[in-house]
Amino acid sequence: MATLHSAPRFTQIDGLKGTLANALGGHLLEAHEEHGELLLTVKRDSMEDVLRILRDDHKYQQLMEIAGVDYPSRAERFEVVYMLLSLTTNSRIMVKCSAAEDTPVPTVTTLWPNAGWLEREVFDMYGVLFAGNPDLRRILTDYGFEGHPFRKDFPLTGYHELRYSEDEKRVVYEPVELAQDLRQFDFMSPWEGADYVLPGDEKAETPPVADPKTTEKPSDTGAGEKTDKHAADKVSAGAPAEEDGGDEAPAPEPTEDQPARAKRKGKTTDTASATEPKTKARAKRKPATKKKDAE
């Protein structure tokens, strides 16, 4: 028996852009569809009001994630992206705003309790401030960490390194010292077109051969009747191995004459009496009795 669900199987965003744009009014800066989802850009100071409208009036019950993006060339270099899910309509939308290092974003912990952890992560990784967050502390990096690792201008090696000091018997923080300069890797895709010549591409500029070389007669290649007559001749004819005997040569005589070994006395070969060398002390020793052997 088939089970019917109230939520559609696939998300339908036809007409959703106009509906939400009218609902948000002056809070909305831009709305467009991207990768089959609706993306709304709103004013930073209106973020809490916008998300409250989407939660209460348009059934976007769950805050799935808060992500940060860094654009160092912009005046407001950061973007804070909120990802919402509607369980009743099976719809996902993204709402974002821009922020700078000194322009806080209103907290949404008043709408979703899990926003406290998500805002702390964006603050830790990017340095975005959230006004009204009751516990805005680092959540992923260590105590006393300097900088924000997801910023584009943060060095790959960081500013400090952590190690255990055998002299002080504790963990210490020290400035990073590189034994050699950090290598810069080239991540440009050759399929998209590199601005330099890749190894082997210099041959592509070589013009094709205008007049291919051909052989007009058999003598140019070394073939002919004279060559065919000697084709069956042995190349190894006259070699020392051929003259000394070849395949029918008898086996060589042995270089040593080893006398036949005397047959070993005794019935067993793994006992001490059979394997140990005979010495004067052993020769004088009397064999053990059966009673002693039994013991």
Side-chain angles (χ1 to χ4, degrees), residues 21-86:
N22 294 332
L24 299 180
H27 301 306
L28 184 66
L29 297 177
E30 182 187 1
H32 68 278
E33 297 177 3
E34 187 173 345
H35 305 295
E37 294 183 348
L38 182 62
L39 179 61
L40 306 173
T41 304
V42 301
K43 296 179 181 179
R44 179 178 58 257
D45 296 335
S46 303
M47 180 57 70
E48 183 181 2
D49 297 332
V50 168
L51 297 183
R52 189 186 302 275
I53 294 173
L54 295 175
R55 185 195 66 174
D56 298 342
D57 300 340
H58 296 275
K59 303 178 181 179
Y60 286 94
Q61 303 97 340
Q62 291 190 359
L63 173 65
M64 304 303 297
E65 182 63 272
I66 301 178
V69 188
D70 184 18
Y71 298 95
S73 59
R74 298 182 182 179
E76 294 186 342
R77 62 183 295 180
F78 303 115
E79 282 188 353
V80 183
V81 186
Y82 299 79
M83 304 172 192
L84 306 181
L85 170 65
S86 172

Side-chain angles (χ1 to χ4, degrees), residues 106-126:
T107 183
V108 293
T109 53
T110 55
L111 304 176
W112 292 283
N114 67 320
W117 293 79
L118 301 176
E119 290 176 356
R120 286 178 60 183
E121 183 177 352
V122 176
F123 164 72
D124 193 1
M125 296 291 103
Y126 294 93

